Amino acid sequence: MRYFVTGASGWIGSAVVPELLGAGHQVVGLARSDESAAALVAAGAEARPGSLDDLDVLGGVAAESDGVIHLAFKHELAFSGDFEAAATADRAAVDTIGDALAGTDKPFVIASGCLGISPGHLATEEDGQALIESPLPSQSGPSMRHATALATVALASRGVRSSVLRLPPTVHGDGDNGFMAHIVDLAKATGVSGYTDDGANRWPAVHRSDAARLFRLAAEGAPAGSTLHGVAEEGVTGLEIATAIGAHLGLPVEPVEADHFFWLGGFLSLDSPVSSAVTRRLLQWDPTGPGLLDDLGKEYYYRDTAAG
């Protein structure tokens, strides 16, 4: 099979590409820069220049491929304060690819998120499936990405073997530049490894290698209209995370206010356990990578350049 992968040189994509190649598939990766293109070619994939704004490229490569895995998102734009523009570009890309694949029964897998689906309760693949009746322009914030996920699921009715793979907020491993890296850097800067509330808030996680394998399995065999959970650990507590970081850095572990973590505080205050039981049974997915606390015991999370 020949798969088109957007975000192919990103944190997750750079693991998905060798996973696909190792399983005997061919890969065409979307490359925003010469550096990204070179990395894809070095990995054994074909590079196709373009970005999420190049809708003609997205539609054309999708049409000539046997399936699509969509991982790209304008994170820089979203984190700079214009989440709406990033989500709008993502929706346009998904609609374009969906149109190209309509009536082919080809697989189309997109990455989504599972944080906050059912706060305080163990979220399952069935949660968060309520339809949003209003059109995209009236949506705002995270609900825009939720609407895009629902639109992807709905492509099953148009002859696309579509699936949404919800990822936890932390996809960890050597090179992770996400939430955990920022929490480590904050602990270094403040001299305390903090946790919010009583530390019981649960934070789901998965190792990057396990997430990559699940994307391959979804492309190969997920039923049309599937919602999947790429979660290896249902919920590691905030206290456990803070204790692991404090132990490695030799810092006190203490409760702190949510604003201690700045923009991240609202996320860390959520209690968001997530189950992947249905996904594991459906695709015979058995996570084997290190757990989050094991990874937080490794030196690579504490390099000075960890969070950039």
Side-chain angles (χ1 to χ4, degrees):
M1 299 285 281
R2 178 181 173 86
Y3 288 107
F4 176 35
V5 181
T6 72
S9 59
W11 169 237
I12 297 172
S14 58
V16 170
V17 168
E19 175 69 30
L20 290 170
L21 293 171
H25 300 295
Q26 295 177 307
V27 176
V28 181
L30 187 68
R32 289 188 302 164
S33 67
D34 291 342
E35 182 181 6
S36 294
L40 286 168
V41 172
E46 177 186 339
R48 192 66 61 93
S51 72
L52 288 186
D53 295 322
D54 297 315
L55 299 182
D56 288 344
V57 173
L58 296 180
V61 182
E64 65 188 33
S65 301
D66 296 314
V68 180
I69 298 177
H70 176 50
L71 304 173
F73 189 74
K74 294 185 175 184
H75 294 288
E76 301 93 340
L77 186 61
F79 290 145
S80 71
D82 200 350
F83 186 94
E84 183 173 347
T88 299
D90 183 53
R91 177 60 180 267
V94 167
D95 286 346
T96 297
I97 295 170
D99 288 343
L101 297 180
T104 66
D105 292 321
K106 292 178 180 179
F108 181 25
V109 187
I110 75 162
S112 189
C114 60
L115 185 65
I117 292 174
S118 182
H121 303 280
L122 185 65
T124 73
E125 291 87 345
E126 296 299 318
D127 290 315
Q129 298 296 337
L131 291 176
I132 297 176
E133 299 297 338
S134 51
L136 179 66
S138 67
Q139 303 297 324
S140 63
S143 66
M144 295 178 69
R145 293 205 78 183
H146 181 60
T148 298
L150 292 175
T152 302
V153 170
L155 286 171
S157 66
R158 297 179 59 200
V160 181
R161 185 160 61 80
S162 59
S163 58
V164 174
L165 203 169
R166 292 172 176 166
L167 293 170
T170 290
V171 180
H172 55 90
D174 189 0
D176 175 16
N177 192 33
F179 290 158
M180 290 300 115
H182 286 280
I183 293 171
V184 167
D185 277 4
L186 186 61
K188 290 179 181 179
T190 62
V192 60
S193 184
Y195 59 89
T196 61
D197 304 309
D198 61 357
N201 293 344
R202 289 161 290 183
W203 187 260
V206 68
H207 191 269
R208 185 171 72 135
S209 62
D210 289 320
R213 187 166 69 258
L214 184 54
F215 274 105
R216 173 179 63 80
L217 292 172
E220 291 175 341
S226 301
T227 295
L228 310 168
H229 280 180
V231 175
E233 295 177 283
E234 292 183 352
V236 183
T237 69
L239 178 57
E240 289 173 321
I241 292 170
T243 299
I245 294 172
H248 198 95
L249 294 175
L251 295 176
V253 178
E254 300 176 0
V256 296
E257 296 297 324
D259 60 9
H260 171 86
F261 295 101
F262 301 100
W263 59 272
L264 187 52
F267 296 108
L268 293 175
S269 296
L270 290 174
D271 180 36
S272 295
V274 177
S275 169
S276 59
V278 172
T279 299
R280 295 182 192 223
R281 289 195 301 270
L282 182 65
L283 296 179
Q284 298 300 299
W285 179 58
D286 182 22
T288 58
L292 176 56
L293 297 181
D294 289 336
D295 255 354
L296 287 175
K298 304 292 177 56
E299 190 58 40
Y300 44 72
Y301 265 103
Y302 303 91
R303 299 172 186 147
D304 289 340
T305 56

